[in-house]
Each structure stands twice: as structure tokens, then as C-alpha cells.
Amino acid sequence: QVQLVESGGGLVQAGGSLRLSCAASGRTFSMYAMGWFRQAPGKEREFVATIRWSGDNPYYADSDSVKGRFTISRDNAQNTGYLQMNSLKPEDTAVYYCAATGAVGITTRPTRYDYWGQGTQVTVSS
């Protein structure tokens, strides 16, 4: 079992930045790839970014909405993952979830993730 706890969400004005953290406990965090997803009201959970267990090969959603603005990273020594979000837009408003998967390769489907945090709310005002 891996327990994940997100933090760092909040209310920010458009153009601002937030850094989300995902603290892991339980089984060795470094064994798992980590992903970030988000879910806005009335919408399906959406893939944002993922990173391998080694911390290399970050992969982002294809849409232009996150590329170039969001950066995923992790610190296995601290059992923590991060999502740095810059130039935030009102359409980034959602609950953000971190997740862990033992799957090999780039995994963007929520169903492939084994463990989930409870989510942290990000609200971007215009």
C-alpha cells in the first residue's frame, strides 16, 4: 500500500503560481511512477503529467493548456512529488490529484493508477 497526501492548493489570481506537493508513505515510493490528474466540476478526471520512478522522462498532457506552464518533479529521498504550476488560468480551476502506478511506460489513463490521494483544490480567479 502507498498512501498519498496532496497539499499546496488554494486560491490564486490568474497569472499566478502554485506548487503542489504529494507526500507518500507506506511502500517504497521510488518503486512507482507518479502522475497528476485534475477534475473540474461536471467533467471527467483529466491527465496532467506523469514522471517515471527515476525522475526522468516527464510527460505532459498533449493539450497546450499545460505544456510549458506546468512542471512535474519528484524527490525520492523525501518521498515527495511536485507539480509546479505557473501562469495559471481560470480554466485550471479543479481538484488536483496525485497518483502512483506500478505500470511500466507512460501511463495516462486513471484506471492504470493503483493509489490516489484525496485531492487538493486549486481555484484561479480572473
Side-chain angles (χ1 to χ4, degrees), residues 14-105:
S17 298
L18 283 174
R19 188 194 197 199
L20 305 183
S21 298
C22 176
S25 61
R27 296 190 67 182
T28 306
F29 177 59
S30 60
M31 295 173 57
Y32 297 86
M34 183 188 74
W36 285 95
F37 292 78
R38 65 185 181 185
Q39 188 165 18
K43 295 188 177 181
E44 292 187 353
R45 193 163 295 190
E46 174 188 29
F47 168 76
V48 175
T50 186
I51 193 166
R52 292 178 60 191
W53 65 270
S54 56
D56 58 1
N57 288 349
Y59 182 84
Y60 299 90
D62 288 339
S63 68
D64 292 336
S65 63
V66 300
K67 276 187 176 179
R69 298 190 300 121
F70 290 9
T71 303
I72 188 173
S73 62
R74 64 190 294 166
D75 183 344
N76 288 337
Q78 298 295 323
N79 284 340
T80 303
Y82 304 97
L83 184 69
Q84 177 68 43
M85 306 186 296
N86 298 328
S87 302
L88 283 162
K89 305 175 182 179
E91 50 263 44
D92 294 318
T93 295
V95 177
Y96 283 72
Y97 299 89
C98 71
T101 177
V104 176

